[in-house]
Structure formats: C-alpha cells, structure tokens
C-alpha cells in the first residue's frame, strides 16, 4: 500500500487524454499547407476581432495545457481553418468537456440539434412532444 493509505501510483486511474481540437487544427494546417505564424495571422474572428495567438496554437498541438477557447476564439480558429465554426465547437467540446458530437443522422438533423440549444427549455419540451406525435418513441426508421 502507498504511504498515507492512498492507492499505489501504478493503479491510479489517469484521465483520458482527448485531442480532437488539436488533431483537427494540426491536420487542417497540413491540408492547407500553412505554418503556425501564417495560421495565427488568419485566426481572427471576423465579427469581434478576437485573435488566437501562435503560442496558444503551438501549445494546443503539442498537448500542453491551454485554456479552453471561448466562442469568439473558435470563430477565429474556424476562419483560419476555413471550416464552419460548428466543426470547431464539436472538436473543442470533445477535447475539453468530454462531450462528443452527434455522429449519426443527416447533416440536416445535426443542424437541428445545434439550433435546439438556442430554444428555451419549455419550447424544447414542446418540440419533443410534437416529434413524439409524428414519430412515436421506439419506432424504427428505415
């Protein structure tokens, strides 16, 4: 037994290292054939002007600790990646919060899920009841 009654170091559970956003940024930079400086120069939110620094991108890609990006920073990264911000939101949610995106269904159903969060709770509940009248729970789709 380890000192002070704690578990021995080799049996302690380590948190899963998630790298979805880092992998997306790294692979997208390679696809676009753009270096860190050029990428950071393009990483500007077109609405707010928020920038993402070269150092933050470097630390992210290297697996070093970084502060999770806020929405405006994700918009900046989306601009540099030339991808929809929702793609970056999914990757950041997976990496930093353990929330995995919807992986099945059409792109239309994914868009509905993204918009669903914008509705107040009572409207979401009413929408769910409406959907249940159209497609009862447990009904199989073709």
């Amino acid at each position: 037994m380890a000192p002070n009654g704690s578990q021995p170091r080799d049996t302690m559970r380590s948190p899963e290292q998630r790298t979805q956003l880092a992998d997306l940024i790294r692979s997208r930079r390679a696809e676009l054939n753009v270096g860190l400086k050029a990428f950071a120069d393009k990483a500007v939110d077109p609405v707010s002007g928020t920038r993402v620094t070269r150092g933050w991108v470097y630390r992210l890609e290297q697996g070093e600790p970084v502060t999770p990006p806020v929405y405006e920073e994700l918009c900046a990264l989306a601009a540099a990646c030339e991808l929809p911000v929702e793609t970056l939101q999914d990757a950041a949610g997976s990496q930093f919060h353990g929330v995995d995106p919807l992986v099945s269904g059409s792109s239309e159903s994914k868009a509905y899920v993204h918009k669903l969060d914008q509705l107040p709770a009572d409207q979401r509940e009413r929408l769910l009841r409406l959907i249940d009248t159209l497609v009862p729970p447990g009904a199989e789709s073709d």
Side-chain angles (χ1 to χ4, degrees):
M1 182 150 236
N4 301 331
S6 63
Q7 290 182 322
R9 184 173 289 267
D10 60 346
T11 62
M12 291 179 75
R13 187 173 165 205
S14 62
E16 175 186 4
Q17 180 70 24
R18 298 181 68 115
T19 60
Q20 289 85 344
L21 182 62
D23 295 343
L24 175 63
I25 299 294
R26 188 181 310 104
S27 66
R28 192 63 182 147
R29 276 197 325 105
E31 288 171 11
L32 296 171
N33 194 30
V34 75
L36 269 174
K37 182 177 181 338
F39 183 85
D41 288 346
K42 290 176 55 177
V44 181
D45 176 14
V47 175
S48 70
T50 299
R51 299 176 101 45
V52 175
T53 66
R54 180 179 64 179
W56 187 90
V57 175
Y58 175 82
R59 289 189 305 278
L60 175 75
E61 289 185 358
Q62 296 302 308
E64 296 176 13
V66 294
T67 303
V70 296
Y71 180 75
E72 292 79 9
E73 292 165 331
L74 289 173
C75 290
L77 291 167
C81 287
E82 301 175 13
L83 292 171
V85 70
E86 292 84 6
T87 302
L88 284 289
Q89 286 175 311
D90 286 345
S94 293
Q95 179 165 336
F96 294 105
H97 305 293
V99 177
D100 293 317
L102 178 66
V103 292
S104 64
S106 67
S107 59
E108 184 178 54
S109 64
K110 292 178 188 178
Y112 289 140
V113 169
H114 281 287
K115 289 180 179 180
L116 190 63
D117 287 337
Q118 298 173 14
L119 294 175
D122 65 316
Q123 289 181 353
R124 286 194 306 267
E125 180 60 34
R126 289 195 316 245
L127 181 58
L128 182 57
R129 285 196 307 267
L130 172 64
I131 291 170
D132 284 345
T133 65
L134 299 171
V135 182
E140 294 293 320
S141 62
D142 294 330

